[in-house]
Amino acid sequence: MNRIRPVVVSAVALAAVATLSACSEMASGAQGPEHGQPGHKMLSATTVNGLGAVVTDADGKTLYRFDKDIAQPPTSNCDGECATAWPPVLAGVATPMLKGIQETQVGTVARKDGSTQLTLNGWPLYEFSGDKAPGEANGQGVNGTWFAVAPDGSKITAGGKTGGSGY
């Protein structure tokens, strides 16, 4: 009996570590049928200095909307060089994971190149190639047409810039 007890304790401890590890991966969006199988995207409401609550991706990068797009019906008007400077947030193969964003606000739009882009309240979502680290918002207000997007899909107008890759 004394030899069995350490084996059982070790097995229980190993199972607990494996369970906690899996939960950690699911919380980060890495795995799990409900939380982030490969192909899931993540949209989070995050506070960015000077802007307040904005939508970010899984890497913490600020997401933007383009005033030349159309929300109803959702239409993206950023292609070619524009899409190089402002990469579209493409939909994954599964429903995106959301933190602080209402599921009913999230949708998709078919792009001219055939890919599918995520939308928030009808507005197509983009990253900015000039944002290199989480929490940056270098695209905010560029040419008066690019704005960080709030968790409800509205544009954030604080802290704008002029000039540069505005398309």
Side-chain angles (χ1 to χ4, degrees), residues 57-154:
D57 66 8
D59 297 323
K61 290 193 175 178
T62 301
L63 300 183
Y64 299 89
R65 54 178 264 186
F66 185 35
D67 278 354
K68 294 182 182 178
D69 284 346
I70 301 168
Q72 294 303 324
T75 305
S76 170
N77 289 308
C78 179
D79 297 297
E81 287 183 37
C82 178
T84 300
W86 299 90
V89 178
L90 299 178
V93 296
T95 303
M97 295 177 10
L98 306 173
K99 181 180 175 188
I101 298 166
Q102 291 184 8
E103 185 176 345
T104 57
Q105 297 287 319
V106 179
T108 59
V109 62
R111 294 181 50 78
K112 292 174 187 163
D113 66 5
S115 62
T116 304
Q117 184 174 2
L118 286 177
T119 63
L120 186 58
N121 199 21
W123 290 97
L125 298 175
Y126 302 87
E127 293 181 355
F128 178 51
S129 61
D131 287 346
K132 303 299 182 194
E136 290 184 344
N138 297 316
Q140 176 62 8
V142 169
N143 282 355
T145 57
W146 291 95
F147 296 93
V149 64
D152 65 358
S154 63

